[in-house]
Amino acid sequence: MISDGLLVAVEGIDRSGKTTLVAALTAALTAAGIDAVARSEPSRGPIGAFFRSITVDTSLPATAAALLSAADRHEQQSALHMQLTRHRVVLSDRYYLSGLAYHLAEGIDPAFYRSLNEGIRRPDLYLHLAVAPAIAANRGEPLQGRWEQPTFTATLPAAYERCIALLSESEAARFIDIDAAQPSAHVLGAAIAAVEALAVERNPTP
Ligand SMILES: Nc1ncnc2c1ncn2[C@@H]1O[C@H](COP(=O)(O)OP(=O)(O)O)[C@@H](O)[C@H]1O
Ligand SMILES: Cc1cn([C@H]2C[C@H](O)[C@@H](COP(=O)(O)OP(=O)(O)O)O2)c(=O)[nH]c1=O
């Protein structure tokens, strides 16, 4: 009997393919008989909507941005817990790792950001879509906004690596790096394998 679903965080830089993967993975897991549902951050709630509205504002102090993103995550915890109660797998298009990495890249101390995130549900699995910023930038329209300037995005891969190392030491979650420069079908295949392995492990057939 499963009382709590599995939380899978899909993380990576802008245009690494997170939204594409979350949609395809939700459909593929559902087709395989695994009840899956999607969510995203920044959320569509009041704080998430406000946070999204300031993503063009480069004058907002880094500390204020970090506080807002953590507040959005806290505000959404009850909705997330409800999804985890009702579904076997919840797929989050960005979660705590993205916050840690983006705000670290803006100079926020990871220990400070971690303290802001005390009490949030930790993911069971992180899928990190790793792709060079130069490849991601060529997908679609030119990037705009606070977190999409080339000088900033160039620093993100190292920030993600550092945050993955930090969280791997302190959290029980599993981290899977997926080469997101590969075609979408390859990315999806790797993600399905990782989630199915976790689902089987947590709920072995008697
Ligand atoms: N593996 C991939 N290879 C090439 N293009 C991709 C891949 N995954 C997604 N895309 C395309 O890149 C763009 C950004 O994808 P998206 O899923 O919105 O990224 P994100 O949610 O990480 O910002 C979209 O046009 C999408 O079709
Ligand atoms: C979740 C999160 C996102 N971000 C940033 C990364 C993105 O550049 C930006 C918007 O997220 P994004 O995934 O691009 O959302 P959408 O496509 O719906 O606009 O928010 C943070 O800075 N901190 C966070 O904690």
Side-chain angles (χ1 to χ4, degrees):
M1 166 83 183
I2 292 182
S3 56
D4 195 16
L6 300 171
L7 177 58
V8 177
V10 177
E11 309 273 20
I13 65 172
D14 283 288
R15 301 191 185 173
S16 53
K18 299 177 300 297
T19 306
T20 303
L21 175 64
V22 166
L25 189 52
T26 306
L29 292 173
T30 304
I34 298 176
D35 179 9
V37 68
R39 72 184 298 276
S40 61
E41 288 192 5
S43 78
R44 305 278 158 192
I47 303 172
F50 179 69
F51 183 81
R52 213 179 287 272
S53 77
I54 56 92
T55 59
V56 286
D57 180 359
T58 49
S59 68
L60 187 81
T63 305
L67 290 168
L68 283 171
S69 79
D72 180 32
R73 198 164 296 118
H74 281 286
E75 191 271 334
Q76 290 291 311
Q77 287 297 294
S78 58
L80 172 59
H81 281 286
M82 189 76 77
Q83 286 183 310
L84 287 163
T85 305
R86 293 183 176 163
H87 302 275
R88 180 85 191 283
V89 177
V90 177
L91 298 164
S92 191
D93 182 345
R94 291 197 186 282
Y95 197 62
Y96 175 44
L97 175 60
S98 279
L100 202 58
Y102 274 71
H103 301 297
L104 168 68
E106 284 202 319
I108 295 296
D109 178 356
F112 172 65
Y113 196 70
R114 287 174 75 169
S115 73
L116 295 181
N117 282 272
E118 263 172 36
I120 66 147
R121 170 67 152 82
R122 262 41 189 183
D124 301 280
L125 171 66
Y126 286 94
L127 299 175
H128 174 226
L129 304 191
V131 63
I135 293 177
N138 279 330
R139 295 175 174 172
E141 296 297 307
L143 293 165
Q144 301 167 340
R146 179 186 182 111
W147 287 289
E148 297 178 335
Q149 307 303 322
T151 47
F152 178 75
T153 56
T155 68
L156 284 172
Y160 269 100
E161 299 256 316
R162 185 168 158 210
C163 293
I164 289 170
L166 279 173
L167 293 185
S168 311
E169 279 172 17
S170 57
E171 302 204 359
R174 182 174 304 176
F175 292 83
I176 304 281
D177 270 312
I178 298 178
D179 180 359
Q182 296 293 315
S184 312
H186 172 97
V187 175
L188 176 61
I192 291 171
V195 176
E196 287 189 341
L198 182 69
V200 167
E201 198 177 294
R202 294 292 173 86
N203 188 25
T205 313

